[in-house]
Amino acid sequence: MLNMDFSKKVVVRTTEEEWVPSPAGGVLRKPLAREEAERGHATSVVRYEPGASFKRHEHPLGEEILVLEGVFSDEAGDYPAGTYLRNPPGSGHAPFSKEGCTLLVKLHQFDERDQSTVRIDTRNTPWLPGIGGLEVMPLHEFEHEHVALVKWPAKEIFQPHRHFGGEEIFVLSGEFCDEHGRYPAGTWIRSPHMSQHHPFVDAETVIWVKTGHLPIEAH
């Protein structure tokens, strides 16, 4: 068990973490949250060395991937850096990477009714206007769960707010900040149901953000 108490805030600066070997040769991981060693709820940064592959496996409760670097592939296609993927509950594949890649991967965290297959090239998807100076790129939503990229212009200050169903952030570039700390690129932040903060940035910053998906009954 790792970071499975959803009532507590978790901050991991992944660039400072060590890579841990996986059961597949050439596939390394930085575990962020994990229920069991090779099954159940898991959030990780994953690196495929050039030519590495993983044997075919199923996703009983789905798989969510953001390609951070390189090109990730499976039998259905090639997904360059910036690609957002959702493989629904019950799906399976045999992933590999010819040139190597780094991914943010979330396993076994979907509602079983959320059957959407999602493939979005975020590098070629338009930004939409958000609140204040923010720009938003919606990636997926299901009931209370919302996933998006958010671009913050330099010196932007957002309004104080609470997170119904919690919030999860991965800082892709720049430095995300709030009254609790500063979070450089590569930082993963998970804040519990009804947590509150007052975020801001000094330099332009892009974050991957998911809200409304964490347990409410933990409180």
Side-chain angles (χ1 to χ4, degrees):
M1 296 274 282
L2 173 68
N3 293 330
M4 289 298 292
D5 184 348
F6 296 105
S7 69
K8 294 182 178 178
K9 180 177 179 177
V10 182
V11 177
V12 179
R13 288 171 172 81
T14 67
T15 58
E16 300 172 5
E17 298 293 306
E18 297 293 326
W19 292 104
V20 179
S22 80
V27 181
L28 306 172
R29 296 188 290 216
K30 294 182 177 183
L32 305 178
R34 189 161 69 179
E35 190 172 3
E36 297 182 47
E38 296 302 327
R39 55 182 292 182
H41 179 115
T43 299
S44 311
V45 176
V46 178
R47 186 175 79 193
Y48 281 67
E49 302 284 10
S53 62
F54 222 97
K55 64 183 180 181
R56 181 174 173 85
H57 56 276
E58 313 301 316
H59 303 124
L61 281 180
E63 176 185 53
E64 182 176 19
I65 294 173
L66 181 64
V67 184
L68 303 174
E69 299 174 351
V71 179
F72 175 68
S73 303
D74 62 17
E75 58 268 50
D78 300 319
Y79 313 105
T83 306
Y84 176 72
L85 310 169
R86 288 179 78 96
N87 297 314
S91 63
H93 65 164
F96 62 94
S97 181
K98 291 179 181 177
E99 67 174 58
C101 64
T102 305
L103 316 169
L104 175 66
V105 180
K106 296 177 65 62
L107 296 171
H108 208 78
Q109 298 175 41
F110 290 12
D111 187 298
E112 60 187 13
R113 296 169 297 136
D114 184 358
Q115 287 291 323
S116 299
T117 297
V118 179
R119 304 282 186 267
I120 297 174
D121 178 357
T122 66
R123 304 246 169 130
N124 292 294
T125 300
W127 292 95
L128 305 177
I131 297 173
L134 299 184
E135 294 180 85
V136 179
M137 186 186 300
L139 300 175
H140 183 70
E141 62 179 67
F142 180 82
E143 295 187 347
H144 296 298
E145 178 179 319
H146 294 266
V147 189
L149 296 187
V150 181
K151 183 190 293 184
W152 295 64
K155 305 299 183 184
E156 184 73 10
I157 301 174
F158 196 70
Q159 61 208 36
H161 60 281
R162 288 188 182 274
H163 305 121
F164 183 89
E167 179 186 57
E168 197 169 340
I169 286 172
F170 192 87
V171 184
L172 297 173
S173 64
E175 184 181 53
F176 184 72
C177 311
D178 63 16
E179 69 271 37
H180 308 299
R182 304 178 75 92
Y183 315 102
T187 304
W188 177 70
I189 309 157
R190 193 185 69 204
S191 301
H193 171 60
M194 296 311 290
S195 56
Q196 179 174 328
H197 69 159
H198 189 184
F200 64 94
V201 301
D202 291 329
E204 181 180 275
T205 298
V206 178
I207 62 174
W208 172 92
V209 60
K210 177 188 280 198
T211 59
H213 63 300
L214 298 177
I216 295 170
E217 60 271 14
H219 290 255

